Amino acid sequence: MKHLRRRQITALGAGMLLAAGVSLATPVSAAAANGSALTQTPLVVNARWGGHCKYDRLVIDLKGYIPQVTVTPVAKLVYDGSGKPVPLAGKYFLEVRLHPAAGHNDAGQNVYKGPKLTKIYLSKLKGLALTGDYEGYVTFGAAFNTKPSYKSFTLHGPERFVLDIAHPNLC
């Protein structure tokens, strides 16, 4: 009799856990079915720039938190995945890589609304390209005619990564 009662309690407990698991999963599944599932990966939604008296500024707007960002001087810019050259004129290039990050939501729809490839006519910054949105990495390439001296930092509310490229005072 004791063994029968123990089995009933165990079965009841397992059934309750299974039911709880199914009921917790239902909202996520329903959200995924209608395309409104939210991702925890930060989303890159825009890139913009501006000229100032002593620096050119590149800003990458994010939804969510600011991921790890690396800024690396590179000899040339290539598109992630294909390795094809990026058609931006310049002698010096910076690669800006965000990880983890995405320019698309979980349903595969683009959320990045900024430029994919553009010439820029600022004192230092001459071009910008979105070079990758692949496997948790979003990568940009920036082009310059002269070697860039830069600093980077983050701003909050809304979340954004900022890259300032120094130049002589123009004001």
Side-chain angles (χ1 to χ4, degrees):
M1 201 65 152
K2 276 185 176 180
H3 296 293
L4 182 58
R5 183 79 171 143
R6 187 178 300 161
R7 284 188 205 157
Q8 288 174 334
I9 292 171
T10 302
L12 180 61
M16 288 176 18
L17 287 174
L18 182 58
V22 169
S23 69
L24 290 174
T26 301
V28 174
S29 300
N34 69 19
S36 65
L38 297 177
T39 180
Q40 291 187 4
T41 300
L43 299 175
V44 178
V45 296
N46 194 23
R48 52 198 168 90
W49 55 90
H52 299 271
C53 288
K54 295 182 179 184
Y55 59 91
D56 294 342
R57 176 169 282 180
L58 172 63
V59 178
I60 299 173
D61 297 315
L62 296 133
K63 186 174 183 181
Y65 65 92
I66 298 175
Q68 178 182 352
V69 183
T70 57
V71 179
T72 308
V74 293
K76 62 181 181 174
L77 296 175
V78 296
Y79 287 106
D80 293 353
S82 72
K84 291 181 179 178
V86 176
L88 280 179
K91 295 178 183 176
Y92 299 89
F93 305 97
L94 292 177
E95 180 183 81
V96 180
R97 184 172 293 247
L98 299 90
H99 175 72
H104 59 279
N105 62 20
D106 288 342
Q109 300 163 327
N110 284 337
V111 296
Y112 176 73
K113 302 299 182 194
K116 302 228 173 158
L117 178 67
T118 189
K119 285 185 177 182
I120 299 172
Y121 300 96
L122 294 177
S123 180
K124 286 284 186 177
L125 183 61
K126 300 302 179 185
L128 181 69
L130 174 67
T131 59
D133 176 12
Y134 184 69
E135 293 187 350
Y137 290 87
V138 173
T139 311
F140 291 90
F144 307 88
N145 287 338
T146 58
K147 189 173 182 178
S149 173
Y150 59 91
K151 68 176 182 173
S152 64
F153 54 96
T154 59
L155 295 172
H156 306 282
E159 302 302 298
R160 53 213 187 275
F161 170 79
V162 179
L163 182 67
D164 283 349
I165 305 99
H167 59 68
N169 190 345
L170 300 176
C171 297

